[in-house]
Amino acid sequence: MAESGATLSNLSHEDRTFPPSEEFAAQANATAEWYDRADADREAFWAEQADRLTWSKKWDSVLEWDAPFAKWFVGGQLNVAYNCVDRHVEDGHGDQVAFHWEGEPGDTRTITYADLQREVCRTANALTELGVGKGDRVAIQLPMIPEAAFAMLACARLGALHSVVFGGFSPSALRSRIEDAEAKLLITSDGQYRRGKPAPMKENTDQAVADTPTIEHVLVVKRTETDVPWTEGRDVWWHDIVDRQPDTHEYESFDSEHPLYILYTSGTTGKPKGILHTSGGYLTQAAYTHHVVFDHKPGESVYWCTADIGWVTGHSYIVYGPLANRATSVMYEGTPNTPHEGRHWEIVQKYGVTIYYTAPTLIRTFMKWGKEIPEKYDLSSLRVLGSVGEPINPEAWIWYRENVGRNNCPIVDTWWQTETGAIMISPLPGVTAAKPGSAMRPLPGISAEVVTEEAEPVGPGGGGYLVLDKPWPAMLRGIWGDEERYRETYWSRFAKQGYYFAGDGAKYDDDGAIWLLGRVDDVMNVSGHRISTTEVESALVSHPTVAEAAVVGASDPTTGQGIVAFVILRGGVAQDEAKGADAIKALRDHVSKEIGPIAKPRQIMVVEELPKTRSGKIMRRLLRDVAENREVGDVTTLADSSVMDLISAGLQEGKGDD
Ligand code: WTA
């Protein structure tokens, strides 16, 4: 298990609870009775949630479960974009703000639901002109600008699948995703703002599509007014084609199981997995969870999810869930300290944000910057605070509650994954007496268990593997083009029981609350971003000086985990030079270039040998001990037990190199 014993014992001593105020509980969207109702008849419960959407044809049955393949709301038809946009305008809410968009340099745009409808229709018309239709794949790499949401919704409107790639991913990461999905169109921008300065975007995306035969066009949004290389016939400016389109578009309804999008995420091999989501079930759970977990009130709440649109949190909780619920959202383009460390609180104050949803890594960064910063702003509009992406440590939870929530806001620690599509385990803010650091229990309608290797429930106080033992509406429907990997990754470990294996360790406390303990596989979690150790290892060995590499996630006070790499150099490489600070920097930059800056190792150690079992498997557990400055654990299964001494000695010597 990835977690150290020290963390485990910290967790088990946490017995503070924070129930909602009576006032909050009295007005909450969901009550305790929801758990009973869902338990009594799960399918009826989900049908009730699906009824919050507008269907052009009602489903025949709620669920068809042919493990591991689920179909939800079978026979039903809907258009996801219609549900997120048009129906609110038809209901008379065209003037309600959908997005208060805040650009990093301070420029702003206010987009009402009527504006959004026009923009999505224009974009859908433009995509049609570019040859995009039902079932086609569209790659999107864009900064956090409204066009990203327009593009996603336009795809949804046409029944085309979007594959959004985080702006921080490298050209080769983008290319492999385009190739895997055989995308026809890429939507990107000329540049992007990063820490107050324009940085290139199209130059990178051009590299990605230099050799991708499936890409027919590149649609380019002008954001930074940067000069860009241009390929006639292939490249099209957004403003040239979108702006001249009619602002109405007749939508078609699609089957509930029609694919909505692919989103790539790291697995335990070097090749990212294209997680496939479909329409009716996904939108049902995204909208339901957004409604109950954040206690969202349409037309009243001002909601801000700080995630990037390139991650699943951006998909489900910036675009689909909130828009289906007619939310007024803040969308912010930039980094939290541009131009100053109070930027987020300034935005909360400016728009009167009532719901704020962010990641523990950012909360810990705010802690580092000091409580004097949020103190300077009026944060009294806040009502609910959320956390996602990694376990939140009790200290950060309490800091968040005191300094952001001013002891007056329930905190919802939401556990879920790209694969689950929507929140699975979380407090209900008007019901749950939350404990700092615990995601508490599965939401009404959701079922999870913590089990041993042998699939036995661990019971109160026990720890083991988190599994999902019943299908849920927003579950992934597969890995794009790789059914075998889908079965193998998620369904083989507990095949007999038919449990979905989430890859996370978890434990119950004595009251039955769930505490997430981090990944149990070779996936790291750096600032809430999933990165596989194998991916970073392959990037390292693709460098001409590296023969072999082993990568571990070591705990890090700010980012949750930091990437620590151990590399063996190739014969013939001048060892002293290759161990020097410049060479190490070159290796770190190489990984950043190959995968993206998020995957840049915190530390790289040049070693002579790696600890391996007799069957040749690298023992990452031991390397993690070294990287976390712990006494090295049991080495008896090593082929050569002296290896660890050599590595530890080398590490002491190499400190400060980086
Ligand atoms: C981790 C992000 C503890 C977990 C939505 C999971 C969490 C992985 C939490 C999914 C949480 C996410 N507490 N751990 N509240 N939320 N995780 O696919 O390890 O980017 O498996 O989805 O993040 O990351 P992903």
Side-chain angles (χ1 to χ4, degrees), residues 165 170-181 207-212:
V165 178
S170 69
S172 67
L174 174 60
R175 179 172 54 235
S176 65
R177 286 159 173 78
I178 287 175
E179 283 171 352
D180 188 72
Q207 281 179 45
V209 295
D211 200 15
T212 48

Side-chain angles (χ1 to χ4, degrees), residues 119-146:
E119 296 292 350
V120 173
C121 289
R122 279 197 195 109
T123 311
N125 289 322
L127 295 194
T128 307
E129 191 178 314
L130 292 172
V132 173
K134 180 177 172 182
D136 287 337
R137 275 81 60 204
V138 175
I140 301 176
Q141 190 172 44
L142 279 173
M144 285 287 289
I145 53 177

Side-chain angles (χ1 to χ4, degrees), residues 162-164 261-265 273-276 310-312 315 418:
H162 53 74
S163 161
V164 183
Y261 66 80
I262 305 170
L263 183 59
Y264 287 85
T265 188
K273 305 176 281 198
I275 302 301
L276 178 68
W311 306 112
V312 74
H315 284 55
T418 305

Side-chain angles (χ1 to χ4, degrees), residues 453-465:
E453 191 98 49
E454 290 74 39
E456 300 292 336
V458 297
Y465 300 105

Side-chain angles (χ1 to χ4, degrees), residues 265 312-313 387-391 413-419 502 504 516 519 525 528 530:
T265 188
V312 74
T313 309
S387 170
V388 62
E390 54 176 314
D413 173 10
T414 63
W415 179 89
W416 59 295
Q417 309 178 298
T418 305
E419 291 87 342
D504 280 26
L516 276 309
R519 305 288 307 188
N525 189 329
R530 272 165 73 171

Side-chain angles (χ1 to χ4, degrees), residues 318-339:
I318 293 179
V319 179
Y320 293 111
L323 291 174
N325 289 337
R326 186 165 50 86
T328 293
S329 296
V330 168
M331 183 174 177
Y332 173 52
E333 181 185 34
T335 44
N337 52 351
T338 307

